[in-house]
């Protein structure tokens, strides 16, 4: 299973570059990354197990580095992998006091 993400700052309408992201399978850390200039990160190309996975975004640190207050110190997106051979793209639409996500392609 490959896992990627794309983070957009919905307040300024731009990619959120420089956010630290961690991928977990259960409690095991699988990969760590930082979003690139386009707000994207490909966390792994390696096969992982069936089951629950989490993406953890260090949003509080990122907002603080920009001198912006934020309500969420981190955003945790939990998703279930039923088909390990498929690509899983999990975007994050971010603002200081709200966020949303969806299963991308």
């Amino acid at each position: 299973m490959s896992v990627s993400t794309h983070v957009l700052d919905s307040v300024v309408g731009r990619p959120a570059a420089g956010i630290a992201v961690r991928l977990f399978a259960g409690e095991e850390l699988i990969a760590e990354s930082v979003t690139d200039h386009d707000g994207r990160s490909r966390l792994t190309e390696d096969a992982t197990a069936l089951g629950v996975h989490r993406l953890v975004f260090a949003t509080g640190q990122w907002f603080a580095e920009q001198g912006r207050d934020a309500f969420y110190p981190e955003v945790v997106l939990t998703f279930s992998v039923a088909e390990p051979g498929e690509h899983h793209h999990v975007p994050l639409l971010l603002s200081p006091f709200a966020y949303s996500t969806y299963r991308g392609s």
Side-chain angles (χ1 to χ4, degrees):
M1 165 189 91
S2 58
V3 176
S4 64
T5 190
H6 186 199
V7 185
L8 297 172
D9 183 336
S10 61
V11 172
V12 298
R14 302 240 182 258
I19 294 182
V21 185
R22 294 175 291 154
L23 172 64
F24 292 87
E27 296 303 314
E28 181 184 354
L29 178 64
I30 300 296
E32 295 180 272
S33 183
V34 175
T35 56
D36 66 14
H37 70 282
D38 195 33
R40 295 180 185 274
S41 175
R42 185 171 283 276
L43 287 128
T44 185
E45 295 290 338
D46 297 333
T48 60
L50 293 169
V52 176
H53 290 70
R54 288 179 292 128
L55 285 172
V56 180
F57 299 83
T59 53
Q61 176 184 346
W62 182 77
F63 279 117
E65 289 169 357
Q66 298 179 41
R68 295 161 66 186
D69 291 331
F71 186 68
Y72 299 102
E74 66 180 15
V75 171
V76 179
L77 303 180
T78 305
F79 59 100
S80 182
V81 173
E83 297 143 349
E86 288 191 9
H87 175 66
H88 292 75
H89 183 65
V90 186
L92 175 63
L93 303 174
L94 182 63
S95 74
F97 300 98
Y99 64 88
S100 65
T101 188
Y102 56 94
R103 181 173 181 180
S105 58

